[in-house]
Amino acid sequence: MTLSLIADIGGTNARFALWDGHSPSSVLVLAPADFQQPADAVRAYLARVGKTVDALQSVCLACAGPVQGDHFQFTNNAWSMSRSAFCQELGLKELVLINDFAAQAMGMSRVEAHELLEIRPGVAQKSEPRLIIGPGTGLGVGTLLCLPDGRWKALPGEGGHVDLPVNTLQESRLWATMHARFGHVSAEHVLSGSGMLKLYQAFCEVEGWTPVFSDPSHITDAALDGDEQALSVVEQFCIWLGRVAGNNVLTLGARGGVYITGGIAPRIVELLRKSGFTRAFADKGQMSDYFDTIPVWLVTAKQPGLVGAGVALQQRLDEVNR
């Protein structure tokens, strides 16, 4: 029996699973730091689920970073790989290597209604682009298109590294503080786990607060407990998330809806709903009416990146077998 393997590889964790054409199974999480190269992790995964490398025929790896050419350098860990050498080493017939947020985007093609929490009501136009944005370790941005033949296409990009948009005097003060410290200030500088802490530190400098928190989770926990300073930071975080998401909607024409993924938003979902996110999302001057019917959801699906890697792999296998 031949095997198909899928993986969603981040900086700290690499999620591996088998793919049966419809869904992932035998999901295991391995630490990239425990292995010298991706092929070593694949072998370890197969051994742990009682499968042999000889049976492996096709693989899809979803990885952070721009994907092009034969060589790939992982963004958030020390791994690197040659596509051709990886295939030769494992005896593969098919390797699909995609950006991790392209996989997140493809995963939205299988998301169920019960795996979505409404943040902003609206009516999605199914034939129009869908925006996926996810603050977590970094800030991922992807686009999903439904093609006329029913297949799905993800448009990979590095939208998390766009300039942080500034629209108020307070934001300009916060931006100036971060610029003095880091130089270029991208959206990811704020809209990520480490970015939450950077934003708090900027607030401390601008507002004259004595720093108390040293970890992003401490900030969100304190905000949930009603701490005023932490609430101010989380509020600004949500506003910037809304503004960046809205900018991407205008650029992409994403009337198919917006999906928020990543590890941060689920922790603060009630604060997100009460925040200025929705106002900032649609506050685009003469183009504000453009947003009237565009919905926003928070994705609660457990493994959207793995599912998306599976969808991408299955589409490739279907193309080869036609």
Side-chain angles (χ1 to χ4, degrees):
M1 180 179 178
T2 61
L3 292 177
S4 294
L5 179 147
I6 54 178
D8 184 12
I9 301 172
T12 304
N13 296 312
R15 293 170 174 83
F16 290 87
L18 301 179
W19 177 255
D20 64 5
H22 303 283
S23 60
S25 62
S26 302
V27 178
L28 287 180
V29 180
L30 304 180
D34 292 342
F35 305 93
Q36 286 193 333
Q37 295 296 338
D40 300 327
V42 169
R43 286 194 183 89
Y45 167 76
L46 291 174
R48 293 185 192 186
V49 297
K51 304 296 182 180
T52 65
V53 175
D54 291 343
L56 188 62
Q57 294 290 301
S58 56
V59 170
C60 179
L61 303 180
C63 317
V67 177
Q68 57 184 354
D70 182 70
H71 180 78
F72 182 80
Q73 178 65 54
F74 290 73
T75 298
N76 293 327
N77 63 50
W79 282 353
S80 64
M81 64 178 283
S82 158
R83 295 191 201 216
S84 55
F86 183 86
C87 289
Q88 184 174 5
E89 186 174 351
L90 296 176
L92 299 180
K93 289 185 177 180
E94 199 67 47
L95 170 64
V96 177
L97 188 64
I98 60 174
N99 173 267
D100 62 335
F101 241 77
Q104 288 277 334
M106 292 293 274
M108 297 307 100
S109 69
R110 298 287 183 90
V111 73
E112 302 285 347
H114 70 272
E115 296 173 313
L116 299 173
L117 292 178
E118 186 179 80
I119 301 299
R120 184 179 194 264
V123 179
Q125 297 183 28
K126 301 298 184 182
S127 62
E128 297 299 315
R130 308 175 190 193
L131 172 70
I132 297 85
I133 185 167
T137 302
L139 177 65
V141 179
T143 309
L144 182 66
L145 305 176
C146 183
L147 302 179
D149 62 3
R151 292 181 304 119
W152 297 91
K153 182 176 180 60
L155 303 180
E158 295 298 329
H161 297 280
V162 299
D163 297 339
L164 183 69
V166 174
N167 205 36
T168 69
L169 288 175
Q170 173 75 337
E171 289 175 358
S172 70
R173 296 185 187 101
L174 294 167
W175 177 91
T177 298
M178 290 185 284
H179 184 267
R181 186 175 179 187
F182 305 112
H184 177 252
V185 183
S186 69
E188 185 175 88
H189 268 105
V190 167
L191 300 176
S192 60
S194 62
M196 180 80 75
L197 185 59
K198 292 184 179 87
L199 179 57
Y200 169 69
Q201 291 166 344
F203 261 100
C204 288
E205 186 166 336
V206 168
E207 300 293 342
W209 300 344
T210 300
V212 175
F213 307 116
S214 57
D215 186 274
S217 64
H218 298 162
I219 300 168
T220 54
D221 287 345
L224 291 169
D225 287 339
D227 180 273
E228 290 187 6
Q229 293 181 358
L231 280 169
S232 295
V233 175
V234 171
E235 172 68 14
Q236 185 60 58
F237 181 97
C238 293
I239 288 171
W240 256 320
L241 179 59
R243 189 165 293 132
V244 171
N247 286 352
N248 276 281
V249 165
L250 287 179
T251 299
L252 299 166
R255 285 175 155 157
V258 176
Y259 299 78
I260 301 175
T261 64
I264 297 177
R267 290 176 56 87
I268 58 169
V269 58
E270 293 308 319
L271 296 178
L272 178 64
R273 281 173 160 163
K274 297 174 184 177
S275 74
F277 170 91
T278 296
R279 173 178 51 79
F281 175 72
D283 183 15
K284 304 299 179 187
Q286 64 180 359
M287 292 303 297
S288 296
D289 292 348
Y290 187 91
F291 292 82
D292 283 351
T293 62
I294 297 177
V296 180
W297 301 283
L298 174 67
V299 179
T300 62
K302 291 184 178 180
Q303 303 287 356
L306 269 181
V307 172
V311 173
L313 179 60
Q314 194 60 47
Q315 287 195 165
R316 176 58 182 160
L317 294 176
D318 290 345
E319 290 172 5
V320 171
N321 294 327
R322 279 177 187 166

